[in-house]
Amino acid sequence: MSSPEREIKELSARLDRWSLAYHRDDSPLASDAEYDRALRRLRELETAHPHLISRTSPTQRVGDKPLDQFTSVRHTLPMLSLDNAFSGDDLEAFEQRNANKLGLSVLRFCCEPKLDGVAMSLLYEDGVLVRAATRGDGTTGEDITHNARTMETVPLRLQGGDYPTMLEVRGEVVIPRAAFHRMNEKQASSGEPAFQNPRNAAAGSLRQLDPRITATRPLVFMAYSVGHVEGGILPGSHSETLSYLSRIGFKTSKLTQVVDGWQAAEAFVDRILEQRDEIEVDIDGVVIKVNDFEQQLALGFVSRAPRWAIARKFPAQEEVTTLLGVDFQVGRTGAITPVARLQPVFVGGVTVSNATLHNADEIARLDVRIGDQVIVRRAGDVIPQIVKALDDRREGDLPKVAFPQECPDCRDALTRDLNEAAIRCENSLACPAQQKGALEHFVSRKAMDIDGVGEKLLHQLFDQGLVSDIADLYDLTVEQLAALDRMGHKSAVKAIEAIEGSKATELPRFLYALGIREVGEATARALASHFVDLGMIMTASRESLEEVNDVGPVVASHIHRFFSRDMNRELVGRLIDAGLVWSLPKEQVALKAILAGQTWVVTGKLEAMSRDEAGATIRRLGGQTAGSVSKKTDVLLAGPGAGSKLSKAESLGVKIIDEDDFMRLLAEAEL
Ligand code: D41
């Protein structure tokens, strides 16, 4: 073998291995830079020696020319559909039916999350991908080989040597929720219409004639079964088949479990349903399959669905309801948010009566009218959204949603910045809604954490003219509070004590509490550790603000503008005069920086301190904290009840410690 040929083979194999570790195992073996460097080297070699380019080379995933049209594909074995179950009772009946036929009493099931995506069939000849097809009507689908080739989770060549000469792998194409949101943000910023949900986005991405478009979409293929097989022997059960598929290079669900009896299957359903919001892809149920292939064969199928499998469906994440009206709320920073008032509807496991309409662009995009039937979606932890107005059901003329011309609270004129979707009230200093918003933010848990001064009390104080800005809080007396409606002497004392107690604080908290636009907790922390001193931040130029981690020109100008207003500088002065102090960051730096250079994530329930306190302690010891586990995480501090972060850390091989370990570490640091 010539030396370029050998190098090409070695590089291809290494890139395949790295790609599998990253995509299938969530456990990278190389940095992005290393991967890119190897891929670049491979491209160089292939450009110099074009006759050595293989169709299965990692470089051959993009660049195909667009098709003129799709061709249809007949599935050798039809792609069956699934019967539905909606309750534990349905599962009991499912088991009884099948157990009776087999002369057994209890069946062994393989349970797997039902991914809410688009089914795809992949055909491998001698281990090489030769064709990809959509499910279509189950008998005939469309050839989408050109698009499937662009997906990193679709192996161009199978791993290992023990595969049949002909192997059809079936599975679901999904888009993880986080990637879906990023994708929609990108669509919006380039003026393209947003996708309704991850499944529609996946379907639309697979249906492209131009594979260069598909290549930009964050599609993931997860295998769930084998179809046509020739010239080879496969394992004897479904669960073993899934392990086999993983071994030859496919991503499969890590949540799959083998159980005995329908009760255990229903318990699995409950567990998955509980984790639903944390699982990174949309799931619309659990598929329960008789695990043994001989039993499957004996059970057979009726019309288009196997008797041996059933989809236990979850409550829908999308429902239809009526738009009753739209309210306009003024946020803390003046942004006007339209909020849809809905006929209450049960969706994603909760009753929803409000949904966000985001902004004026979104209202225009949806072209929604008051009285319309609309599709509401609640998925993950996000605020319910309206994804579509069912205009074909609209009867007669319904009123359009009119965006207000003036602030619904202070009646000031509204403005819209160039390049910004939000329409705002710029009257921040005199708009009651914004003043109240600023007060609520100031006392909130992650800001000054003034327990005992809630929203209701703040509004009362504001409406009575006792408090108009955050510094006024520190002038309040027990007598003033006790004189308010529904306020006893005891709670008045408690509230004043809480206000007093908040005076000893930390600089990052204080900065965050000021409510500067775009300055969240992380930015506040970055500012505090960079500048150490508040005075330095207040007088910093835009350029020096931009030197702080993650502070770009926009955030820098918000900070600069905030502190250039006399009113705000005065406010800070009054707070300091009232006695606000923060532990000197210089002291903090003097703590042993035993965690310097480490990134920690905290999850689960802790006994001795809250997660936020644990995070603050980690940072005081020189460590960094992050909200989610990734390959950059060094340590996961996990208390009881830790969920997806723990399993992610385990799969990535991240060091995991419990609270006892953490307390020992603090003792060593003499904290
Ligand atoms: O996750 C899924 N969406 C999923 C779909 C799954 N995990 N397993 C499935 N198994 C089958 C059989 C039992 C017929 C092999 C399926 C589907 N079918 C399916 N997907 C679309 C229609 C049917």
Side-chain angles (χ1 to χ4, degrees):
M1 205 186 284
S2 72
S3 77
E5 189 174 3
R6 187 164 335 111
E7 194 179 350
I8 285 176
K9 278 234 154 67
E10 277 168 9
L11 273 171
S12 301
R14 185 181 321 148
L15 284 161
D16 279 348
R17 211 162 51 239
W18 285 352
S19 171
L20 275 175
Y22 185 87
H23 292 285
R24 179 190 61 185
D25 311 331
D26 293 330
S27 162
L29 293 172
S31 67
D32 292 352
E34 276 177 301
Y35 186 92
D36 291 343
R37 208 158 36 228
L39 191 64
R40 235 180 357 251
R41 174 67 188 150
L42 180 59
R43 276 213 189 90
E44 261 169 36
L45 285 166
E46 289 180 342
T47 310
H49 310 278
H51 63 288
L52 295 176
I53 300 178
S54 149
R55 271 301 267 171
T56 61
S57 163
T59 60
Q60 301 302 299
R61 289 195 176 274
V62 278
D64 276 3
K65 290 215 173 62
L67 304 181
D68 294 328
Q69 60 177 65
F70 289 108
T71 47
S72 55
V73 166
R74 220 184 143 76
H75 299 293
T76 316
L77 289 177
M79 289 181 81
L80 301 175
S81 59
L82 286 166
D83 247 358
N84 290 328
F86 296 97
S87 66
D89 286 351
D90 291 352
L91 282 191
E92 183 177 14
F94 165 74
E95 176 169 41
Q96 231 155 45
R97 216 162 45 228
N98 285 316
N100 280 346
K101 271 214 165 65
L102 296 169
L104 297 168
S105 57
V106 177
L107 296 181
R108 175 157 291 184
F109 298 117
C110 185
C111 307
E112 58 201 56
K114 184 168 186 298
L115 307 169
D116 192 6
V118 186
M120 180 164 77
S121 148
L122 300 173
L123 192 62
Y124 289 85
E125 224 176 280
D126 294 318
V128 174
L129 176 71
V130 292
R131 195 203 69 194
T134 61
R135 176 171 178 275
D137 62 6
T139 312
T140 316
E142 277 173 337
D143 191 320
I144 50 166
T145 314
H146 62 302
N147 288 332
R149 291 183 61 85
T150 68
M151 297 168 56
E152 288 276 351
T153 41
V154 169
L156 297 177
R157 160 186 294 286
L158 300 179
Q159 294 290 298
D162 64 337
Y163 35 73
T165 39
M166 197 75 102
L167 175 67
E168 184 198 355
V169 176
R170 295 173 175 179
E172 205 79 359
V173 176
V174 295
I175 296 181
R177 255 197 311 278
F180 171 73
H181 290 304
R182 280 196 296 275
M183 175 177 166
N184 256 356
E185 275 162 22
K186 213 156 73 187
Q187 289 281 113
S189 67
S190 55
E192 303 284 328
F195 293 99
Q196 185 169 330
N197 57 44
R199 180 169 42 78
N200 283 6
S205 304
L206 283 182
R207 227 181 290 113
Q208 297 292 328
L209 286 166
D210 187 347
R212 286 168 298 195
I213 297 177
T214 310
T216 66
R217 305 285 171 82
L219 298 168
V220 173
F221 177 73
M222 310 261 286
Y224 62 65
S225 81
V226 158
H228 179 63
V229 184
E230 265 177 49
I233 297 170
L234 292 181
S237 72
H238 182 65
S239 56
E240 289 167 308
T241 301
L242 292 177
S243 309
Y244 168 77
L245 288 172
S246 170
R247 208 159 58 239
I248 62 175
F250 293 94
K251 191 175 171 75
T252 55
S253 172
K254 288 190 189 61
L255 301 167
T256 301
Q257 239 174 39
V258 176
V259 303
D260 290 318
W262 70 270
Q263 295 95 334
E266 182 65 8
F268 177 86
V269 169
D270 288 341
R271 279 198 300 280
I272 295 292
L273 192 50
E274 215 164 275
Q275 297 173 49
R276 187 185 199 178
D277 288 353
E278 282 133 53
I279 297 174
E280 58 219 339
V281 298
D282 275 354
I283 283 170
D284 59 349
V286 165
V287 187
I288 295 160
K289 300 174 184 173
V290 170
N291 197 37
D292 186 278
F293 280 163
E294 275 185 32
Q295 291 178 358
Q296 286 189 3
L297 204 65
L299 292 167
F301 49 88
V302 267
S303 64
R304 311 256 92 222
R307 282 205 188 86
W308 43 264
I310 201 157
R312 168 77 170 83
K313 302 280 271 190
F314 286 165
Q317 292 184 308
E318 289 185 358
E319 280 296 348
V320 174
T321 189
T322 309
L323 177 67
L324 301 176
V326 176
D327 287 348
F328 292 88
Q329 289 180 348
V330 187
R332 167 172 70 79
T333 61
I336 311 289
T337 306
V339 178
R341 303 294 175 212
L342 304 169
Q343 184 70 45
V345 62
F346 194 70
V347 47
V350 299
T351 300
V352 168
S353 45
N354 301 315
T356 179
L357 279 163
H358 298 291
N359 51 48
D361 290 350
E362 179 76 355
I363 293 178
R365 182 181 76 80
L366 292 166
D367 189 27
V368 64
R369 316 287 168 87
I370 311 290
D372 263 346
Q373 299 282 97
V374 294
I375 297 176
V376 197
R377 175 177 173 81
R378 181 192 170 273
D381 272 339
V382 299
I383 307 165
Q385 328 230 343
I386 290 183
V387 292
K388 192 174 168 48
L390 300 173
D391 50 3
D392 50 335
R393 296 196 196 174
R394 191 177 292 154
E395 279 167 24
D397 269 349
L398 290 176
K400 285 198 175 218
V401 179
F403 212 91
Q405 301 294 308
E406 52 184 37
C407 174
D409 213 64
C410 74
R411 303 286 151 209
D412 211 42
L414 299 180
T415 60
R416 178 171 184 163
D417 279 352
L418 230 60
N419 306 323
E420 227 201 23
I423 293 180
R424 5 183 125 252
C425 164
E426 295 284 359
N427 186 22
S428 57
L429 304 173
C431 173
Q434 291 180 64
Q435 290 172 322
K436 284 189 226 180
L439 286 165
E440 283 167 28
H441 174 74
F442 186 76
V443 303
S444 66
R445 196 171 56 82
K446 292 184 167 174
M448 301 304 284
D449 194 18
I450 308 185
D451 222 14
V453 182
E455 194 174 309
K456 274 212 189 87
L457 177 57
L458 278 179
H459 285 205
Q460 238 180 328
L461 290 168
F462 185 86
D463 294 339
Q464 306 234 342
L466 288 171
V467 167
S468 57
D469 63 36
I470 53 182
D472 290 341
L473 284 171
Y474 293 94
D475 293 334
L476 287 170
T477 63
V478 172
E479 291 69 37
Q480 282 175 321
L481 290 191
L484 293 173
D485 265 3
R486 282 187 297 267
M487 191 71 175
H489 182 75
K490 231 167 136 180
S491 24
V493 170
K494 239 185 79 190
I496 294 295
E497 278 174 3
I499 293 171
E500 282 299 306
S502 74
K503 286 182 179 174
T505 183
E506 296 156 1
L507 182 55
R509 252 183 204 283
F510 177 71
L511 275 173
Y512 173 68
L514 289 176
I516 305 165
R517 252 173 81 187
E518 311 268 350
V519 176
E521 278 179 286
T523 307
R525 272 201 302 275
L527 285 167
S529 62
H530 185 93
F531 287 103
V532 177
D533 178 64
L534 177 64
M536 301 283 285
I537 301 172
M538 292 177 68
T539 54
S541 65
R542 283 192 191 82
E543 293 73 32
S544 50
L545 286 165
E546 278 186 54
E547 281 166 25
V548 179
N549 243 347
D550 287 335
V551 172
V554 173
V555 181
S557 80
H558 285 317
I559 300 167
H560 186 78
R561 196 175 336 152
F562 183 91
F563 288 117
S564 60
R565 283 190 170 170
D566 289 342
M567 176 108 181
N568 289 332
R569 279 205 309 274
E570 222 171 87
L571 193 65
V572 171
R574 281 166 57 213
L575 287 164
I576 292 172
D577 288 346
L580 253 75
V581 287
W582 37 88
S583 38
L584 279 173
K586 283 206 179 78
E587 256 173 32
Q588 293 180 14
V589 173
L591 272 181
K592 277 192 214 164
I594 54 171
L595 305 183
Q598 297 184 12
T599 299
W600 285 54
V601 174
V602 184
T603 188
K605 192 169 161 43
L606 303 179
E607 295 295 329
M609 56 180 86
S610 69
R611 280 197 295 273
D612 287 351
E613 287 165 342
T617 308
I618 290 163
R619 290 189 296 275
R620 288 180 61 206
L621 291 166
Q624 288 191 317
T625 51
S628 60
V629 175
S630 73
K631 54 186 172 174
K632 296 198 186 98
T633 310
D634 295 293
V635 184
L636 178 75
L637 168 56
S644 58
K645 288 180 192 169
L646 181 58
S647 37
K648 179 108 189 253
E650 279 166 352
S651 71
L652 288 174
V654 168
K655 180 175 174 186
I656 298 163
I657 69 167
D658 64 13
E659 190 173 4
D660 287 345
D661 297 332
F662 186 58
M663 296 314 274
R664 268 193 292 279
L665 195 104
L666 298 192
E668 279 165 31
E670 290 162 47
L671 247 184

